[in-house]
Amino acid sequence: MGNESLMRKILDYGSRADPYPLYAELRKTPVCRQDDGTYTISTYPEVLALLHDPRLTSTHAEEEEAAGGKFPPAFIGMDPPEHDRVRGLAMRQFGPPHSPRLIAELRPSLEMSAAGLIDAFPDGGELDLVDSFAYPFPVTAICRLLGVPHEDEARFREWADKLVASIDPRPGEDPSVRLQDGLETKKELAFYINELIDSGRSDPKGMLTTLAQDHEAAGGPLSRLELVVTSVLLLVAGHETTVNLISNGMLTLLRRPDLFERLRREPEIAPRLVEELLRFEPPVQIIPRRGAITDIEIGGITIPEGSVVALMLASGNRDPQRFQDPDRFDPDRPDVTHLGFGSGIHSCFGAPLARMEGQIALTELVRRLDNPRLLEDPPPYRTSAVLRGPRHIPIAFDGVRP
Ligand code: HEM
C-alpha cells in the first residue's frame, strides 16, 4: 500500500473502529506528503515539536470568509498575541492562581448529575451508554461552568446536539450545507448567551458573569462579542470531546473485565486510568489543519510555506519509540505523558474539567452497573475520524446498584 492512500484510508469510515494499524503504517514515514498536498506528522517527537512551533498558524481565513465575518474566530483559531490575551483572560476565571477552587467546587454537582442519570436507567435489560449517559453528562458540566441556569439546560443540550451534527462530516454530502447549519446554530446560541448576560439570570459564580466583570485583568475584560464567541467555543470543545472520553472509556473497560472489576474495587486508580485512556483512545485523534507560514524542515523533509499540516495525535500516542508495548492498555504505565490534550500554547484549556468528568463518569458507571455486557463489538462509530468515538454502545445488564 503506498503512503499516498494512507490518510484516505484513515479518514474512510470503514477504518473507524480500529485505525491503529494504519497509524503504524503511517509512522514509517514520520513526515509524509499525502496525495491532496497535506503533510501528516505521525511520530511522537515530531508531533510534539510541531505543537510547540510558532511557524504553524492556527488561523483559518477561509472559514471566516465562509461565515461572512459574522462569527469571528475563538481563541482556538487565533495566533499570539491575540490568542494569549483572550486565553489568558478566560484562564483567570477557570483555574489557579486566580480561581483555584472552581473545578473542585464543581465536583459535588457533577457527582449528583451522574447519579441522577444512572438513577433514570431501567433496572436491568438493555441500554445505550452513549445516549443515556455519555452525551447528556458533559452538557451539565459546561452549563455549570458557564453558569447557565438549570432550567435552560435542555435548550443548551439541543444546541450542543446541533453543533455536534454540524462538525461531523457525513459521507457523500455537500459540506457547505452542514457548515451553514453550524453557523446558524452558533448564532442562535450567541443570541441566547447575549440575552442571558443581560437578564442577570446566570449564576454569578459562573464564567459568563465572572468573565464579563473582570475589570482587574490587564487587557480585560473581554468585549461582549469575545465573551459570546468564547462561550460557544467552550460548549463545543468541552462537549464533543468528553462524550468520546466517556464512551471510549466504557468500551475499553467492557472489553477488559479485569480492569472493570479493578476500578470497581479500587476507585482510586481512576486518575491513572483516565490518563492512559487519553493516550490509548484519544477523543481528539488528529489536529487536522495547521498552516505552515514559512518553510519548515523536520524529519529530513521540508514542508513548504502555505502547506496544510495534520498532527496525528493518536498515532504519536502509539509510537513504540516513545511508549513500550503501545497497543496495550495499561493504567500502571510509569510515564503516560500523552498528546491527548495537545501541547504548547493551544493545549487543552478544559483538561482539569475533562479529567474530573471522565473520572466521575467511569467510577460511577462501573460501581453501579450490575454485570454489564457489550451487545455489539465493535459498536457503531460516529462518522468523524478527527473526533472519534462510538455513536452507540448497546449493553445488556442485570440491574442498577444503589
Ligand atoms: C476529554 C476531553 C477533551 C479532550 C480530549 C480535549 C482535547 C483538546 C485538544 C487536543 C486541544 C488542542 C487543540 C489545538 O491544538 O488546536 C484542545 C484545546 C482546547 N480545549 Fe479541549 N479537550 C477536552 C475537553 C475540553 C473541555 C471540557 C473544555 C472546556 C471546558 C475544553 C476546551 C478547550 C479549549 C477552549 C481549547 C483551545 C485552547 C487554545 O486554543 O488555547 N476542552 N482540547
Side-chain angles (χ1 to χ4, degrees), residues 140-156:
T140 309
I142 295 291
C143 286
R144 298 290 149 79
L145 179 74
L146 292 174
V148 171
H150 194 57
E151 64 271 19
D152 290 7
E153 236 176 83
R155 294 177 71 193
F156 228 72

Side-chain angles (χ1 to χ4, degrees), residues 51 58 74-78 83 87 94 103 138 141-142 145 207 230 233-246 274 278 282-288 290 311 313 339-355 357-358 387:
L51 281 168
S58 287
F75 62 89
I76 197 168
M78 292 176 180
H83 167 271
R87 176 169 167 136
F94 189 67
I103 299 300
I142 295 291
L145 179 74
M207 278 183 70
T230 302
L233 167 65
L234 292 178
L235 174 70
V236 180
H239 181 243
E240 253 328 72
T241 46
T242 314
V243 175
N244 289 341
L245 176 65
I246 298 169
V274 164
L278 286 157
V284 180
Q285 297 253 307
I286 305 171
I287 295 178
R290 291 268 166 101
L311 303 174
L313 304 179
L339 302 169
F341 285 132
S343 190
I345 62 164
H346 289 282
S347 74
C348 182
F349 176 92
L353 178 62
R355 287 186 164 114
E357 286 178 65
L387 305 179

Side-chain angles (χ1 to χ4, degrees), residues 7-13 15-16 19 23 167-169 244 282-288 312 314 381-389:
M7 189 62 173
R8 277 180 198 278
K9 281 209 146 193
I10 289 166
L11 296 177
D12 186 275
Y13 185 66
S15 314
R16 205 63 75 244
Y23 290 140
I167 292 169
D168 246 12
N244 289 341
V284 180
Q285 297 253 307
I286 305 171
I287 295 178
M312 313 299 282
Y381 271 76
R382 298 168 52 198
T383 45
S384 175
V386 171
L387 305 179
R388 170 181 165 273

Side-chain angles (χ1 to χ4, degrees), residues 42-357:
S42 53
T43 39
Y44 187 98
E46 281 70 25
V47 172
L48 186 62
L50 286 184
L51 281 168
H52 287 263
D53 197 321
R55 294 173 297 176
L56 286 180
T57 177
S58 287
T59 59
H60 296 293
E62 342 71 88
E63 256 172 35
E64 284 166 48
E65 218 165 274
K70 290 192 193 84
F71 214 86
F75 62 89
I76 197 168
M78 292 176 180
D79 291 336
E82 300 89 318
H83 167 271
D84 302 2
R85 181 182 70 86
V86 179
R87 176 169 167 136
L89 286 170
M91 207 47 153
R92 271 169 61 84
Q93 305 308 325
F94 189 67
H98 186 74
S99 319
R101 285 175 304 279
L102 181 81
I103 299 300
E105 282 173 358
L106 284 176
R107 181 177 275 276
S109 89
L110 292 188
E111 282 172 347
M112 261 176 63
S113 143
L117 288 167
I118 299 174
D119 289 341
F121 289 179
D123 196 21
E126 294 184 3
L127 178 80
D128 174 9
L129 279 174
V130 179
D131 282 344
S132 310
F133 193 96
Y135 256 97
F137 183 59
V139 174
T140 309
I142 295 291
C143 286
R144 298 290 149 79
L145 179 74
L146 292 174
V148 171
H150 194 57
E151 64 271 19
D152 290 7
E153 236 176 83
R155 294 177 71 193
F156 228 72
R157 167 124 193 251
E158 216 171 283
W159 281 311
D161 287 347
K162 281 200 206 162
L163 282 173
V164 170
S166 78
I167 292 169
D168 246 12
R170 287 177 286 257
E173 58 139 35
D174 171 2
S176 65
V177 176
R178 184 168 46 80
L179 290 173
Q180 196 55 40
D181 283 354
L183 185 63
E184 286 307 317
T185 310
K186 279 186 185 175
K187 280 199 270 181
E188 279 175 36
L189 189 57
F191 273 117
Y192 162 81
I193 290 172
N194 202 35
E195 272 177 23
L196 186 59
I197 297 168
D198 284 337
S199 73
R201 284 195 307 122
S202 59
D203 176 353
K205 282 198 283 185
M207 278 183 70
L208 283 177
T209 311
T210 59
L211 270 170
Q213 294 177 350
D214 189 4
H215 295 278
E216 290 163 25
L222 292 179
S223 72
R224 179 60 70 92
L225 184 61
E226 286 171 335
L227 177 55
V228 167
V229 170
T230 302
S231 307
V232 174
L233 167 65
L234 292 178
L235 174 70
V236 180
H239 181 243
E240 253 328 72
T241 46
T242 314
V243 175
N244 289 341
L245 176 65
I246 298 169
S247 311
N248 292 338
M250 283 310 287
L251 184 59
T252 304
L253 289 171
L254 288 166
R255 285 171 173 167
R256 285 282 305 271
D258 58 321
L259 287 175
F260 191 99
E261 276 312 312
R262 187 167 160 211
L263 179 60
R264 197 205 301 266
R265 279 194 326 267
E266 304 171 42
E268 63 278 9
I269 70 163
R272 271 186 289 142
L273 190 131
V274 164
E275 233 41 46
E276 170 69 347
L277 255 180
L278 286 157
R279 182 194 71 81
F280 186 73
E281 289 274 35
V284 180
Q285 297 253 307
I286 305 171
I287 295 178
R289 282 191 322 123
R290 291 268 166 101
I293 54 179
T294 176
D295 288 359
I296 300 173
E297 238 188 84
I298 184 158
I301 304 257
T302 302
I303 301 175
E305 177 182 341
S307 306
V308 172
V309 177
L311 303 174
M312 313 299 282
L313 304 179
S315 173
N317 278 351
R318 301 269 189 132
D319 185 345
Q321 305 287 341
R322 176 64 185 77
F323 297 105
Q324 211 179 3
D325 202 0
D327 295 327
R328 184 180 155 72
F329 181 76
D330 176 10
D332 297 320
R333 243 169 231 290
D335 170 17
V336 61
T337 317
H338 56 75
L339 302 169
F341 285 132
S343 190
I345 62 164
H346 289 282
S347 74
C348 182
F349 176 92
L353 178 62
R355 287 186 164 114
M356 188 169 79
E357 286 178 65

